[in-house]
Amino acid sequence: MKGYMKWVLGGILIGCFFAFLFYHDINKEVVALTQNKNTLYLFQVGVFAQKDNAEAYATRFNSRLVYPDDDYYRVLICATTNEENKAKLDAYYRKQNLNFFIKKVLDQDLSDEFKKLEVLLSKTENEAAIDQVCQTTLETFLTYSK
């Protein structure tokens, strides 16, 4: 009986050791994904099954992009990679009483032009300038998403 218990305890210890290694490895991957520096935030105001409906709805916004995604057309109004700009745009669109969704996209490799636009967006408070920068970021996103 004592020999049997040694095997059971040994098996439990080995199982715990492998579970610890597995958890430790998974934890590193989760932390790496959540702290990804290539995260893009897309401000989405609608999803449509038909392109004509999406384009008609998009005309309501100063900055806009109808983006085909699988079988749907997403209406986007801005894109940013910067957390501070994300918070700024969130407040800006809430002030306008817009219903929007922030879609998080990982591993987007964007140009240096996009980074320059981020700096402009962070420094301006002018609504027309914000809309123009957002339109340019959307066009840049479209160029690099193909």
Side-chain angles (χ1 to χ4, degrees):
M1 187 73 170
K2 289 183 182 181
Y4 179 72
M5 290 301 286
K6 288 180 187 178
W7 282 104
V8 170
L9 288 175
I12 290 172
L13 287 174
I14 290 172
C16 288
F17 176 72
F18 283 119
F20 171 77
L21 291 178
F22 179 75
Y23 169 77
H24 187 66
D25 187 47
I26 293 290
N27 193 31
K28 282 183 182 178
E29 290 178 18
V30 168
V31 168
L33 281 176
T34 58
Q35 294 179 349
N36 191 332
K37 295 193 189 298
N38 292 328
T39 301
L40 179 67
Y41 301 101
L42 300 173
F43 285 76
Q44 175 181 300
V45 291
V47 178
F48 296 86
Q50 295 180 349
K51 186 176 183 178
D52 294 340
N53 292 342
E55 289 173 345
Y57 184 73
T59 60
R60 299 178 182 186
F61 305 99
N62 294 328
S63 60
R64 59 188 170 266
L65 172 69
V66 176
Y67 179 68
D69 186 20
D70 295 328
D71 294 335
Y72 297 100
Y73 297 92
R74 300 181 185 281
V75 178
L76 307 175
I77 55 175
C78 201
T80 185
T81 59
N82 184 298
E83 286 287 334
E84 290 82 21
N85 285 345
K86 180 182 114 180
K88 179 180 182 174
L89 290 167
D90 184 276
Y92 175 68
Y93 291 130
R94 286 185 192 280
K95 184 179 173 184
Q96 295 179 3
N97 292 322
L98 291 180
N99 292 324
F100 60 91
F101 171 74
I102 301 174
K103 184 175 173 72
K104 187 175 182 180
V105 182
L106 297 176
D107 293 329
Q108 289 294 312
D109 187 25
L110 300 169
S111 69
D112 290 333
E113 176 188 350
F114 200 91
K115 293 172 187 165
K116 291 176 187 174
L117 292 168
E118 293 282 357
V119 172
L120 286 174
L121 188 59
S122 68
K123 292 185 178 183
T124 189
E125 296 297 326
N126 182 297
E127 291 183 8
I130 291 172
D131 290 335
Q132 181 59 46
V133 170
C134 282
Q135 184 64 42
T136 308
T137 61
L138 290 171
E139 291 166 2
T140 304
F141 162 70
L142 186 59
T143 302
Y144 285 88
S145 65
K146 292 182 178 181

